[in-house]
Amino acid sequence: MTALRSQLWSKLKKRLDNLTCDSLKGRVGFTVTNYRKAHDQMGRAFITVDKKEVLNMCTITSDIRINRKEREIHRINDISYDDYQKNHEISVTAHELVKKEGIYAQYDFYDAVEEFLNMPIEKALKSDDMVIKILALIDRRIGKRTLHLLKESIQQELEIIQYFYHLRCEAEQIEYSQRPGKLKVY
């Protein structure tokens, strides 16, 4: 599956670049790096702004956090490791909780990009997936009027989503309420 996704990445990247709004073309970049010596040959995906990495989606980091979250769920709920069905449910829950914290793996990035490219832009803006929402905010199909309408609701979002909203508003010369502080790399 990794080899197939790697072959398709150039096509996905081209589609993402074509959907990026004119005001951010050349400023926002999407990169995927595979580590051939890794056991699963996965690596990381990252988004850069002005050639600085602002969102890092590393498979190893994500897998470590998911594993810790699984152990935490087992410990808190005093659940045995013997039950395969229960372990699977815990794994899925742990993965979703880690993604809600803004920690994504390379495969999560691929999944989000593929989903984003196959959904209406209005639905993408309302998505619970952080990456889909970020891609929607920088999409050329989102206009100034829609950005204005998001002004209030964006304050309830993760810091990284707010960052991309402010970046887009700044690029489009739209006034927005509050500039976020120094962004930590996700």
Side-chain angles (χ1 to χ4, degrees):
M1 177 148 77
T2 304
L4 178 62
R5 280 195 161 165
S6 294
Q7 292 170 358
L8 297 175
W9 171 239
S10 60
K11 290 180 182 178
L12 290 176
K13 182 178 178 354
K14 186 178 238 179
R15 288 182 67 192
L16 284 177
D17 289 339
N18 287 337
L19 286 173
T20 301
C21 65
D22 290 340
S23 61
L24 291 175
K25 278 204 190 297
R27 292 187 63 196
V28 175
F30 308 98
T31 306
V32 169
T33 302
N34 291 316
Y35 302 126
R36 287 181 285 182
K37 292 186 179 186
H39 72 286
D40 57 2
Q41 295 187 350
M42 291 297 277
R44 67 189 188 107
F46 54 98
I47 300 176
T48 58
V49 174
D50 299 329
K51 306 213 185 307
K52 292 180 185 148
E53 192 174 303
V54 294
L55 181 58
N56 178 7
M57 294 160 280
C58 178
T59 303
I60 294 169
T61 302
S62 174
D63 287 351
I64 290 169
R65 292 295 288 268
I66 291 169
N67 189 288
R68 285 182 186 158
K69 191 65 78 176
E70 286 174 1
R71 286 186 306 203
E72 181 183 325
I73 293 169
H74 275 282
R75 183 180 47 76
I76 289 171
N77 297 307
D78 195 26
I79 298 171
S80 168
Y81 286 91
D82 297 340
D83 185 346
Y84 175 79
Q85 180 64 34
K86 197 60 129 170
N87 285 336
H88 177 72
E89 291 170 14
I90 289 171
S91 180
V92 170
T93 300
H95 187 209
E96 288 306 313
L97 290 170
V98 167
K99 281 175 55 178
K100 284 190 187 306
E101 294 173 14
I103 300 168
Y104 278 57
Q106 182 189 49
Y107 54 84
D108 294 322
F109 175 70
Y110 279 127
D111 291 345
V113 169
E114 289 172 4
E115 189 175 342
F116 169 74
L117 292 172
N118 292 306
M119 69 175 21
I121 193 65
E122 299 80 18
K123 188 174 177 185
L125 274 176
K126 294 176 183 168
S127 175
D128 290 332
D129 189 289
M130 173 187 81
V131 173
I132 291 173
K133 196 167 279 189
I134 288 169
L135 295 174
L137 287 170
I138 62 174
D139 192 296
R140 63 182 164 82
R141 296 171 290 174
I142 297 298
K144 291 180 180 182
R145 193 173 326 144
T146 302
L147 289 169
H148 275 293
L149 294 173
L150 294 172
K151 197 178 225 178
E152 296 298 319
S153 65
I154 208 74
Q155 294 173 8
Q156 308 306 313
E157 299 289 348
L158 289 172
E159 181 183 359
I160 189 72
I161 294 171
Q162 291 180 39
Y163 170 82
F164 277 96
Y165 172 77
H166 292 290
L167 177 73
R168 176 71 187 272
C169 285
E170 194 174 83
E172 299 286 350
Q173 299 175 342
I174 296 172
E175 296 257 346
Y176 50 88
S177 55
Q178 183 179 23
R179 180 156 177 83
K182 183 159 174 62
L183 176 73
K184 66 177 181 166
V185 175
Y186 274 72

